[in-house]
Amino acid sequence: MGRILGFFGGTVLTGSVAYLTLQHFRQHRTQISQSLRNSRKLSESLLEPAYVPRAPEPRIERLSLTETLKDTWNWEVESMVRWMQGWDLVKARERFEETAANVVGSISK
Protein backbone atom coordinates (compact mmCIF):
# COMPACT_ATOMS: atom_id res chain seq x y z
CA MET A 1 0.00 0.00 0.00
CA GLY A 2 2.92 2.33 0.61
CA ARG A 3 4.06 2.23 -2.99
CA ILE A 4 0.61 3.06 -4.36
CA LEU A 5 0.18 5.99 -1.95
CA GLY A 6 3.70 7.19 -2.72
CA PHE A 7 3.04 7.01 -6.45
CA PHE A 8 -0.31 8.79 -6.03
CA GLY A 9 1.26 11.45 -3.79
CA GLY A 10 4.10 12.06 -6.29
CA THR A 11 1.61 12.35 -9.14
CA VAL A 12 -0.55 14.84 -7.21
CA LEU A 13 2.49 16.85 -6.15
CA THR A 14 3.95 16.94 -9.71
CA GLY A 15 0.58 17.82 -11.20
CA SER A 16 0.03 20.57 -8.64
CA VAL A 17 3.46 22.08 -9.23
CA ALA A 18 2.92 21.94 -13.02
CA TYR A 19 -0.54 23.54 -12.71
CA LEU A 20 0.67 26.34 -10.46
CA THR A 21 3.66 26.97 -12.74
CA LEU A 22 1.37 27.25 -15.77
CA GLN A 23 -0.93 29.62 -13.90
CA HIS A 24 2.05 31.77 -12.95
CA PHE A 25 3.27 31.84 -16.58
CA ARG A 26 -0.24 32.73 -17.81
CA GLN A 27 -0.52 35.67 -15.38
CA HIS A 28 3.01 36.81 -16.21
CA ARG A 29 2.29 36.59 -19.96
CA THR A 30 -0.88 38.69 -19.51
CA GLN A 31 1.02 41.36 -17.60
CA ILE A 32 3.81 41.47 -20.19
CA SER A 33 1.29 41.63 -23.02
CA GLN A 34 -0.50 44.57 -21.40
CA SER A 35 2.83 46.31 -20.77
CA LEU A 36 3.86 45.86 -24.41
CA ARG A 37 0.51 47.22 -25.64
CA ASN A 38 0.90 50.29 -23.46
CA SER A 39 4.49 50.81 -24.65
CA ARG A 40 3.43 50.51 -28.30
CA LYS A 41 0.62 53.04 -27.82
CA LEU A 42 3.01 55.44 -26.12
CA SER A 43 5.68 55.12 -28.81
CA GLU A 44 3.12 55.50 -31.60
CA SER A 45 1.74 58.62 -29.99
CA LEU A 46 5.24 60.10 -29.76
CA LEU A 47 6.59 59.06 -33.17
CA GLU A 48 3.59 59.33 -35.47
CA PRO A 49 2.06 62.70 -36.22
CA ALA A 50 -1.28 63.46 -34.71
CA TYR A 51 -4.26 62.63 -36.90
CA VAL A 52 -5.53 65.75 -38.55
CA PRO A 53 -8.81 65.21 -40.37
CA ARG A 54 -8.83 66.52 -43.91
CA ALA A 55 -11.39 69.01 -44.99
CA PRO A 56 -13.98 67.38 -47.22
CA GLU A 57 -13.49 68.01 -50.90
CA PRO A 58 -15.90 70.52 -52.36
CA ARG A 59 -18.75 68.92 -54.21
CA ILE A 60 -20.58 70.36 -57.16
CA GLU A 61 -24.23 69.63 -56.80
CA ARG A 62 -26.36 69.27 -59.90
CA LEU A 63 -29.35 71.49 -60.18
CA SER A 64 -31.52 68.90 -61.87
CA LEU A 65 -31.55 65.78 -64.01
CA THR A 66 -31.74 67.85 -67.19
CA GLU A 67 -28.53 69.70 -66.26
CA THR A 68 -26.81 66.37 -65.67
CA LEU A 69 -27.99 65.08 -69.05
CA LYS A 70 -26.81 68.28 -70.75
CA ASP A 71 -23.36 67.93 -69.17
CA THR A 72 -23.16 64.29 -70.24
CA TRP A 73 -24.17 65.19 -73.80
CA ASN A 74 -21.59 67.97 -73.95
CA TRP A 75 -18.89 65.65 -72.66
CA GLU A 76 -19.70 63.07 -75.33
CA VAL A 77 -19.67 65.71 -78.09
CA GLU A 78 -16.33 67.09 -76.84
CA SER A 79 -14.75 63.64 -76.74
CA MET A 80 -16.00 62.91 -80.28
CA VAL A 81 -14.55 66.22 -81.55
CA ARG A 82 -11.20 65.47 -79.87
CA TRP A 83 -11.18 62.01 -81.50
CA MET A 84 -11.89 63.55 -84.92
CA GLN A 85 -9.17 66.16 -84.41
CA GLY A 86 -6.67 63.44 -83.57
CA TRP A 87 -7.55 61.48 -86.69
CA ASP A 88 -4.79 61.64 -89.29
CA LEU A 89 -6.54 61.98 -92.66
CA VAL A 90 -3.37 61.43 -94.70
CA LYS A 91 -2.71 58.04 -93.10
CA ALA A 92 -6.38 57.10 -93.44
CA ARG A 93 -6.31 57.99 -97.16
CA GLU A 94 -3.11 56.01 -97.69
CA ARG A 95 -4.59 52.95 -95.96
CA PHE A 96 -7.74 53.25 -98.06
CA GLU A 97 -5.71 53.52 -101.29
CA GLU A 98 -3.60 50.51 -100.29
CA THR A 99 -6.69 48.43 -99.48
CA ALA A 100 -8.36 49.47 -102.75
CA ALA A 101 -5.21 48.59 -104.71
CA ASN A 102 -5.09 45.16 -103.05
CA VAL A 103 -8.76 44.52 -103.87
CA VAL A 104 -8.34 45.64 -107.49
CA GLY A 105 -5.16 43.55 -107.79
CA SER A 106 -6.86 40.43 -106.43
CA ILE A 107 -9.86 40.93 -108.75
CA SER A 108 -7.66 41.36 -111.83
CA LYS A 109 -5.78 38.11 -111.12
Side-chain angles (χ1 to χ4, degrees):
M1 193 74 159
R3 288 184 183 177
I4 293 175
L5 287 177
F7 175 75
F8 183 67
T11 305
V12 169
L13 178 66
T14 305
S16 299
V17 169
Y19 176 76
L20 292 174
T21 304
L22 289 175
Q23 287 298 324
H24 175 72
F25 285 157
R26 186 173 292 136
Q27 288 175 348
H28 190 63
R29 183 181 64 207
T30 305
Q31 290 172 353
I32 289 176
S33 175
Q34 186 63 35
S35 174
L36 288 174
R37 272 192 223 106
N38 292 338
S39 297
R40 186 184 67 207
K41 286 179 185 178
L42 179 65
S43 65
E44 285 177 355
S45 68
L46 293 175
L47 298 176
E48 292 181 357
Y51 174 72
V52 177
R54 293 186 336 183
E57 295 181 15
R59 224 176 71 183
I60 301 173
E61 294 193 22
R62 301 282 180 205
L63 300 176
S64 65
L65 178 64
T66 56
E67 292 297 321
T68 304
L69 292 175
K70 287 178 187 178
D71 289 341
T72 304
W73 174 264
N74 290 337
W75 182 81
E76 287 290 334
V77 170
E78 287 175 10
S79 64
M80 196 180 318
V81 168
R82 284 191 196 104
W83 177 75
M84 290 293 285
Q85 288 174 344
W87 198 23
D88 188 8
L89 293 177
V90 175
K91 286 184 181 178
R93 182 183 51 94
E94 290 173 354
R95 277 184 286 181
F96 177 74
E97 289 174 353
E98 184 179 325
T99 305
N102 289 340
V103 169
V104 170
S106 65
I107 290 175
S108 65
K109 288 184 183 181

